Amino acid sequence: MEKQELYADVIVDLSVKNVDRVFQYRIPPELSDSVSAGCRVEIPFGRGNTSKCGYVVSVTGTASLAPDKIKDIRAVVPGAVSVQEQMIVLAWWMKERYGCTMNQALKTVMPVKNRVAPKEEKTIVSLKTKEELAVLLADAERKKHRARIRLYRALMENGELPYRLTSMKLGITAAMLKPLEEKKIIEIRAEKKSRDPIRDYGRESGHIRLNPEQEAAASTVIRDYDAGIRKTYLLHGITGSGKTEVYMELIGHVLREGKQVIVLIPEISLTYQTVMRFYRRFGNRVSILNSRLSAGERYDQLERAMRGEVDIMIGPRSALFTPFPDLGLIIIDEEHEGAYKSETAPRYHAREVAAMRAKMNHASLVLGSATPSVESYYMAENGEYRLLTLHSRAKKNSRLANVHVVDLREEMAEGNRSVFSRKLREMMEERLKNREQIMLFMNRRGYANFVSCRSCGQAVRCPHCDVSLTYHRDGRLKCHYCGFDMRLPKTCPECGSPFIAPFGAGTQKLEELTKKTFPEAGILRMDADTTAKKGAHEEILQSFAEGDADILIGTQMIVKGHDFPNVTLVGIMAADLSLYAPDFRSGERTFELLTQASGRAGRGDLPGDVVIQTYAPDHFAVTAAAEQDYGLFYRQELLYRKMMGYPPVMKILSVMLSSADEAELCFAADSFNREIRRQYALDGVLIIGPVEASPYKLNDIYRKILYIKNESYDILLKIRKSAQKLEEEHEIYKNISFQYDG
Ligand code: ADP
Ligand code: ZN
Ligand code: ZN
């Protein structure tokens, strides 16, 4: 059989201003093994076929013009491609994959040049012994000097602290340090030179010894790495199973090879405790990015990475674009987190971009989670990712909590109209008596716009889509997947009860009710309102960890990242609320939240209890979470996805059209729909819509959405390209803006 011809799309003349088009070249057979995305090639260019340097952005089997018009690549140019060049290639890939402009992609991957005088990395060093610090701490505690309490505690633990991390994460200011410096309690040292990485990473003393499961996971990756094999690994380990220790083992190995590492951690989980774990092990070769850095500080950190002054960058999604010259490993912790998906153009998912970057850099990619996304687990099942599993908690004596499921319908039937079930109330009283701490979790935010029945707990659902209908202000219920629409019923369609209403109670209400029921208890509340202020998030968590309150009430935010050894009871007020979000991922979100929330109880030496209050005690997301059984959840969920044709079984591309002119929008959406159907309906492509987006009118702009489904993402990409062509070429779309997602 004749070997298939391969072609490469090549960016010629790489300057940031001039990369909006690619030229296609043939890959001669002798180069077929050495040409891949990201590599530099020599090509004949223009009439005179002068030799130019180009960068391969993609390799394909189909020629985009007559094959005899396509010239051959002359050679692969040896030598490393610079980081900036890699980033441009990555931007190109993102533009193609996500349908944004090259400019948007470049802005995302390139740090905004915003020079500040580079700051020296300073260290806070204690000049006192542990005993002397203990005396100072006691004094600060008496005077309720919060910042000092934190600083002394941190110094007692570590002896020295990285200045930047400390000010960022502990809210300790220069003004506060000054008098301590004068009193010779601390000294602030300028770090003249970075430490020697190889020597530092060789120093293994004092580390935790991995248990056999952790060891097996780590050595699988390391063996592959040493053999030159690069893959994507999915590390599935229950909360507290020691995933972070496995990451650090891998990081140590890759650093000893002289390479660099990117660690993505959702911002909300990037607590002081986590940061210090990395710092203790890897010293000042670690750098942190977060959204609170100014553009200048951010640029400064990225420059340090480029110059090789740091080897590990920890941060949220955007840390993926750290310009490390020789990246060896990318880790994405809590890979299931929604925050890894960008909601502005380019609408990328960090997992996908990480996979691309890993491929370009010949790096390994490790995804970790206690509750992997269905997408990732599906990939692991199909052998695309290598699955690594940790089954048990790493700390001795640390057991999973006892989970109690309470049926709220029964509470109601027996006359208990309080938000606290009898079981939860009883357990709370007991904890308060024993001076142990309690967390109450209310997953309300973002889920308020549906209608549910207080007697049977059912939300009113779409008869066609099996998602909850969204309540609109005009009093109608609408399905934002298929457009189905009905008036708000007077009684519950399931049980006939008149107690049916848009769902209400939020965290603030819960705080009020808790105060009323437990007047003696100290209560802290954490939600989007109480954390709007800079640093408030850390402040509340610290304060709770320091025992300032008995009860912490909060939204999703409280279930992430933090260890509270004294928390022995977690109450989940209405577990099924998130089940009714109008989104096919609502079951997955619910399972994830319940599992993560349950993981908060009993992390210390005291055993923990979790009370899950729910109207849907038999829903598999609830029962599987109660059993802490991911496999049970996954199998059920996959059946549902298969049945309904949702990802990962089917891929979905959504196209949103918007305009200030409603009539124009409707006309455009209908024509667009007809045209796409005409071109693609025969290829087994499923097109749903156009339907009104939720919300339909946003800032005076009307929005309609189409969902296009197919098993193959390549087909959807093709459709997106045709759509973009339509969008550009037809007069009727002139005033319509298009947004692609998927
Ligand atoms: P995860 O990231 O899976 O939630 P962590 O890595 O944070 O788990 O580990 C949970 C706790 O167990 C931490 O306090 C950690 O120090 C401890 N731990 C992890 N691995 C071990 C081990 N092999 N031996 C003893 N303790 C461990
Ligand atoms: Zn009902
Ligand atoms: Zn529907």
Side-chain angles (χ1 to χ4, degrees), residues 462 464-465 479 481-484:
C462 174
H464 308 295
C465 303
C479 172
Y481 276 88
C482 75
F484 173 82

Side-chain angles (χ1 to χ4, degrees), residues 45 85-87 92 103 125 187 194 197 220 278 288 293 321-322 333 352 407 409 411 449 474 598 640 666 682 703 711:
F45 192 72
E85 292 159 348
Q86 287 173 29
M87 287 304 179
W92 181 272
N103 212 6
V125 184
E187 185 180 74
S194 350
T220 303
F278 283 92
I288 312 284
L293 296 181
F321 306 109
T322 304
D333 190 31
E352 283 181 355
D407 187 340
R409 293 170 304 187
E411 294 291 314
N449 49 353
D474 59 7
S598 306
Y640 159 74
C666 291
L682 293 176
R703 309 164 336 141
E711 271 164 34

